[in-house]
Every structure is written in structure tokens, then in C-alpha cells.
Amino acid sequence: MTDTSTDSRFKPGTFAPRPGTGSAWRMLRVHAKTEATLTLRNGEQLLLTLLIPVALLIGLTVLDVIDMAEPRVDSVAPRIFALAVMSSAFTGQAIALGFDRRYGVLKRLAATALPRWLLVSGRVVAALIVVAIQLLVLGAVALALGWSPSLGGLLWALVLVLLGTLSFGALGVLLGGALKAEVVLALANVIWFVLLLAGGILLMPGALPTGLDVLVAALPSGALTEGLHTVLTTGDAPSFAPFLVLAGWGVLAGLLAIRTTKLS
Amino acid sequence: MNAPENTSAVAISGLVKRYGSTTAVDGLDLEMPRGQVLALLGPNGAGKTTTVEICEGFRRADAGTVRVLGCDPVGQHASLRPRVGVMPQGGGAYPAVRAGEMLRLVAACAADPLDPNWLLEVLGLEPALGTPYKRLSGGQQQRLSLACALVGRPELVFLDEPTAGLDTQSRRLVWELLGALRRDGVSVLLTTHLIDEAEALADQVVIVDHGKVVTRGSPAELTADANASQQLRFRAQAGLNVQLLTDALPEGCVVLEGDPGAYVVRGRVDPQVVSTVTSWCAQQGVLAEELRVGRRDLEEVFLELTGRELRS
């Protein structure tokens, strides 16, 4: 054993054990802040969560590619909000989780005093922070394009966005927690694209042939778009259907993810 | 719940772990008192990492019992985690995270952490504070990982290959740090395939191969020669005729060339033998360098026990 006790770099007692768990609030705050910062710093994530939605919001409002009632922006905005939620809570979350597992982050955090419920909560809070930022930006752009939402529906929209984030987040964890990072990357992007085109976002269930409309309304993308569109254009309380669909997907994905999510 | 202070840091008996048809750990026993540095030494694939990951609660044993600070590492994982520091083999940070962010996150999980800034400074990570993790050098990633293992002031740390990929200065620094940990009463279980590392750091060396303990003891115990036969080592140009030299030496002495140019004389080494070797070399016009008489070193013990063939 080399005698290093005389060395001055580490004073005696420097490493004297004093183990203990940090305060839950502080752990949650620092974890969520780290996760949200990393998402907002990531160029590909920003492209997915902000740039593409902003471009689609402006494009679909200005260009007459899809048949919509005037003013077009009132109909475009809710769809883009749903897309934004799906982009960050599902696709972004899945890809980040896939690569975090690859890099041993989950194992690293699972080896600290951070309890499991906080490991999940930190990611959820980070996802909600990112969604809030997305909606503030997209909302501002929409207002600039002349968006006039029904104020009575804003509160319902908030509830739908919250539920949508949790539901898509659970689906993202289900995908990102089980497969190899490259497979997650490919699948998460393909599913995003398919749901955007055919999952009720660009073409809402109401615009689809009978049969197909029921199917698409039962997808989380269709349910969230339909729900947001109803409350923000009419201000009416939405039907139970979107809530049931989103909660159903969320609970199902969550229960499955508990069994399938691997730390590495 | 806290176990009584008198329990071992780590106690393993009859540990078995299989992956499919491969048996990674095959009936391993180990007892590590508190406050000790124990080095698990073995070739690649000996079962070191599997053993450590079972102690960390990341894998379940197929058979046997494992107690870490008196607790079951899987069943009591939650209560153990604040008390144990873990440095996994490679990885352990978000790809895009900066060193300071990562260490502060891990520090936030502890009640009374070390100052992350100080730790980053002493580990020489200050120049890399703004660099994303995936762009850090291998050595910088290793040092950050070590910092994450220590920042919570744990009672016990598991370090899996702590100096892999480090340059000489960093390795010395880590050795010094481990010395300070031991001095301050932290129990350290480390794995290594570096013999000098085990020899320099450990109170107890446990040599494992094929998932079993081959031998154990303090470095001094392991290198003490059972047969009391000493040896003489020297370096000279490669390819000397060792048979000729053996013939020149007294009965019972044998000369071997290990690595090219590294010679060992085994047998009863007395002053006459030393004299014969040097004069024989002089006759050949060869200078015998680094000539020393002594006990075998840990490397020889290790090679004797684990064989000389290369492992992948």
C-alpha cells in the first residue's frame, strides 16, 4: 500500500463518509432542469419540437394545401399544438431515452440516492417544461398570424395538453426504454411521420371516410387533435372520448413500460 | 435501515451467475472488512464486472448470498444507494451534458455532498467544463465518472477498472485519491487487470479467473515465495543462448527468457550465481542491466495462476 497520507492535495477527513439522500425537491429541480436544458440545447430536438411545427403552422395557414374553414389559422393552430406535444413528449423523449440508456445515464442515476419515482418525475417535469415553451412560441406565432382562440376553451386545452404530454410521454418511454438506440431513432421518426400524415393531425378524423375516422379518433394523435380543435374553435367542453383515448393509451403504455424498460 | 457497524463492507458466499450457457461467476466467495481496499484482479472475462454489478444491485445472483454493508443489494437497494458510490465501466452521463452539470446533478442527490467545483478541479476537469460528455477524452470521462462515485461521501465505493484509459499522471492521481479514501475510512472495492495497481493500492488482492477465486491475500502474502527459491532477473539484448548460461550455473538453476530481453534465473540464487551471470554476460560482450535478486512479483503469481495465454 502506497502511503499517501502525507499528501496535501487531500486533507485528512476530506472523504470521511457522510452518506445521505438529498432533499426530494432539490433532486427534482436539478434533474428536471438538466433534462430540459439538454433537450433545448440539442439541435435535432429543436428542429423536431420547434422549427418544423413553426414552419407547418405558417405554411398551412398561408398556403391553401388542405381544405379548411376560414380563418385558416384557427384550424391550423390546434393541429400544430397536438403535433408539438407528440414531437417532444413522444419522439424526442423516446430518442433521448434510447441514447441515454446507451450512454449509461439511467444506470448512473439509478446508482445515486435518487429514488425511482423521482427518476421518472424529473423526466416528466422536464417534458412539461419543454411543452410549455413550445406552446408559448407556437401560440405567439399563431397570434401573429391572426389566431383568435375561443377563450372558454383555453382551460380545457390546457388539460388536454397535460394529458397528451403524459400519454405520449408514456408511449415514448415504452419505445425508448426497450430497444436499441438506433432502432428507437428510426421507429420514433417513422411513427411521428405516419401519425402526422395519417394519424388525425393533418387530416382530422371528421374529414376521413366512415370506419377510418373511428380508427384514427382512437389514436392518441387523432384524439388530441380532435379535442384541441373542438375546444379552441368552439369553446365548448369536449366529449369524453379524447380524454378516454389519451388516458387509455397512457395507462396501457405506462403499465407495459414498467415491465419492458431497461436501464441500459 | 442501517446494518450494525461491525458487519463486513462486502460479504459474498457461493455466488453463481450464468448468462445462457456461460457461467460468468462460478461459486465465488469474498469477505471484505470495512475500511479496506480490495482489488479484484483477473484477466478479461474472469467475472469481475458481473460480481461488482451484483454487489451494486444491478444484476441478480443465480445462487449464493451477497451482503453489502450488511444489506441485500437488490432487496434493500433503495436504502443502500445513498451509502454506496458506483463507478461503472465506461459511460454514465448524458451524451451532451457538460461535466459540471452532470456532477452537480449527482451531487444534488446526496445530503451532504463534496463541493463539485473542488472535485472537478482536483481531478483536472476544469479545462473541460464546457465540453459535452461525448467529446471528452476517455480519460476525462473516466475521471468524471470517478467524481460521480465519490461526490456523495459514500461509505463504500465500487470502482470498475478505475484507471482504464488513463495516462500516467492521471493514474497516479487516482491512486493518490484512493489512498486518501482509505485513510478517511472509506471501503473500496475495485476491479483491475493491472497488477501494479493491485499491488500498489490494495490491502487485499483477490485473484479471480473463470468466475472463481484462484487465490487471495495481501500483496506481500501473495508474493512471498512458498518454496523459498529466489530468483535473479536482468535485462540484456534479446536472444541470448539461455541453455549455455544454464550450463554455466550450479545444478538446480535454470535461465528463462520471458519477454524478449527479460531474463530470469530460477533456483537457489547465491552470490556465486550472481557473479557467474555477470561474468558470463561479460564474456558475451553483453551488459546485464537492471539486475536484481528478489522474490517473485505479483505479475508472476498472477500469470502462474491464470495462465499465459491471451484472453479476448
Side-chain angles (χ1 to χ4, degrees):
Chain A
M1 184 72 220
T2 316
D3 180 27
T4 51
S5 56
T6 52
D7 196 272
S8 58
R9 188 151 29 181
F10 307 113
K11 290 199 191 73
T14 304
F15 298 105
R18 245 177 286 167
T21 306
S23 88
W25 168 238
R26 187 172 153 69
M27 283 191 269
L28 180 64
R29 207 157 39 91
V30 178
H31 183 208
K33 187 183 153 205
T34 307
E35 297 260 356
T37 309
L38 288 170
T39 305
L40 296 171
R41 202 190 283 155
N42 183 316
E44 288 149 38
Q45 292 267 15
L46 281 185
L47 181 73
L48 185 74
T49 54
L50 274 177
L51 287 183
I52 292 175
V54 166
L56 281 174
L57 175 61
I58 298 171
L60 289 174
T61 302
V62 176
L63 304 171
D64 196 6
V65 279
I66 297 172
D67 221 17
M68 270 182 259
E70 294 290 338
R72 292 178 62 82
V73 68
D74 284 359
S75 190
V76 172
R79 300 168 200 241
I80 298 305
F81 294 161
L83 173 70
V85 169
M86 180 174 83
S87 300
S88 66
F90 172 71
T91 304
Q93 178 80 253
I95 295 170
L97 182 58
F99 282 95
D100 287 354
R101 281 169 52 230
R102 156 79 52 85
Y103 275 79
V105 179
L106 267 66
K107 228 171 171 179
R108 164 82 271 155
L109 294 177
T112 67
L114 189 74
R116 286 296 155 85
W117 68 269
L118 269 175
L119 188 62
V120 176
S121 315
R123 283 191 105 94
V124 170
V125 171
L128 289 172
I129 292 172
V130 174
V131 166
I133 293 172
Q134 286 176 288
L135 292 186
L136 283 176
V137 172
L138 290 167
V141 174
L143 286 173
L145 290 168
W147 178 47
S148 56
S150 161
L151 291 179
L154 279 180
L155 201 65
W156 282 115
L158 213 60
V159 177
L160 279 166
V161 163
L162 189 71
L163 189 59
T165 305
L166 294 177
S167 179
F168 272 114
L171 286 161
V173 170
L174 178 63
L175 177 60
L179 303 172
K180 271 182 59 178
E182 289 79 10
V183 179
V184 172
L185 180 66
L187 274 178
N189 281 315
V190 167
I191 294 172
W192 178 88
F193 200 61
V194 169
L195 289 182
L196 169 65
L197 292 181
I201 296 179
L202 286 187
L203 297 172
M204 293 204 322
L208 294 169
T210 325
L212 205 58
D213 60 343
V214 181
L215 187 73
V216 169
L219 292 174
S221 47
L224 183 59
T225 311
E226 179 106 52
L228 285 176
H229 196 270
T230 306
V231 299
L232 288 175
T233 50
T234 67
D236 295 342
S239 70
F240 278 123
F243 292 98
L244 277 178
V245 169
L246 288 173
W249 280 98
V251 168
L252 199 70
L255 288 176
L256 266 173
I258 289 171
R259 293 170 170 276
T260 56
T261 300
K262 291 179 282 198
L263 289 182
S264 59
Chain B
M1 84 173 226
N2 281 350
E5 285 300 313
N6 56 12
T7 55
S8 305
V10 178
I12 301 174
S13 72
L15 177 64
V16 175
K17 179 69 186 179
R18 292 183 204 91
Y19 301 115
S21 59
T22 319
T23 304
V25 181
D26 189 8
L28 186 135
D29 301 302
L30 188 151
E31 180 86 31
M32 173 182 164
R34 288 194 189 220
Q36 266 204 359
V37 175
L38 184 147
L40 217 47
L41 176 68
N44 293 334
K48 305 184 296 288
T49 296
T50 300
T51 303
V52 169
E53 291 194 334
I54 290 171
C55 291
E56 292 164 355
F58 287 134
R59 293 182 190 279
R60 280 171 193 276
D62 289 325
T65 55
V66 176
R67 287 290 173 272
V68 173
L69 300 170
C71 299
D72 171 5
V74 175
Q76 292 167 292
H77 197 214
S79 62
L80 264 180
R81 279 185 291 154
R83 306 171 63 196
V84 175
V86 169
M87 176 180 179
Q89 197 179 123
Y94 300 92
V97 80
R98 293 169 188 154
E101 290 170 335
M102 190 65 212
L103 189 58
R104 268 185 284 279
L105 170 57
V106 176
C109 300
D112 186 15
L114 296 168
D115 178 1
N117 294 325
W118 172 79
L119 204 49
L120 291 166
E121 189 201 317
V122 294
L123 285 170
L125 287 166
E126 265 188 333
L129 282 184
T131 312
Y133 178 77
K134 64 181 170 191
R135 296 208 202 295
L136 294 177
S137 73
Q140 288 171 328
Q141 293 184 346
Q142 282 284 89
R143 279 176 279 152
L144 177 60
S145 183
L146 180 62
C148 288
L150 299 180
V151 73
R153 298 186 198 258
E155 292 167 53
L156 164 66
V157 286
F158 291 109
L159 310 175
D160 200 354
E161 305 268 1
T163 59
L166 294 189
D167 59 22
T168 311
Q169 281 93 338
S170 303
R171 177 168 301 159
R172 290 283 157 193
L173 172 68
V174 171
W175 287 13
E176 193 184 316
L177 188 75
L178 294 187
L181 288 175
R182 178 177 175 273
R183 177 201 63 202
D184 290 342
V186 181
S187 312
V188 180
L189 193 156
L190 64 101
T191 73
T192 182
H193 59 264
L194 299 174
I195 288 140
D196 55 345
E197 184 158 290
E199 196 156 19
L201 297 176
D203 298 293
Q204 193 187 166
V205 178
V206 176
I207 299 183
V208 290
D209 197 15
H210 303 297
K212 289 190 172 93
V213 173
V214 187
T215 190
R216 71 184 84 215
S218 67
E221 283 162 2
L222 289 178
T223 53
D225 206 24
N227 306 319
S229 75
Q230 288 191 306
Q231 61 184 24
L232 181 153
R233 312 171 140 269
F234 66 96
R235 292 194 154 271
Q237 66 182 58
L240 293 179
N241 188 333
V242 292
Q243 190 53 52
L244 275 184
L245 178 54
T246 301
D247 293 343
L249 289 168
E251 189 99 358
C253 284
V254 60
V255 186
L256 302 164
E257 184 177 3
D259 296 327
Y263 299 89
V264 184
V265 181
R266 292 229 171 94
R268 239 183 66 78
V269 177
D270 56 19
Q272 187 55 48
V273 168
V274 180
S275 163
T276 309
V277 167
T278 49
S279 57
W280 183 84
C281 284
Q283 280 165 25
Q284 311 290 316
V286 166
L287 180 65
E289 297 175 320
E290 298 174 29
L291 185 137
R292 65 188 172 94
V293 179
R295 300 176 315 179
R296 56 185 188 165
D297 60 17
L298 197 53
E299 178 159 13
E300 281 185 289
V301 178
F302 180 72
L303 290 173
E304 237 165 66
L305 293 167
T306 62
R308 288 180 182 268
E309 77 273 25
L310 285 175
R311 312 286 173 84
S312 60

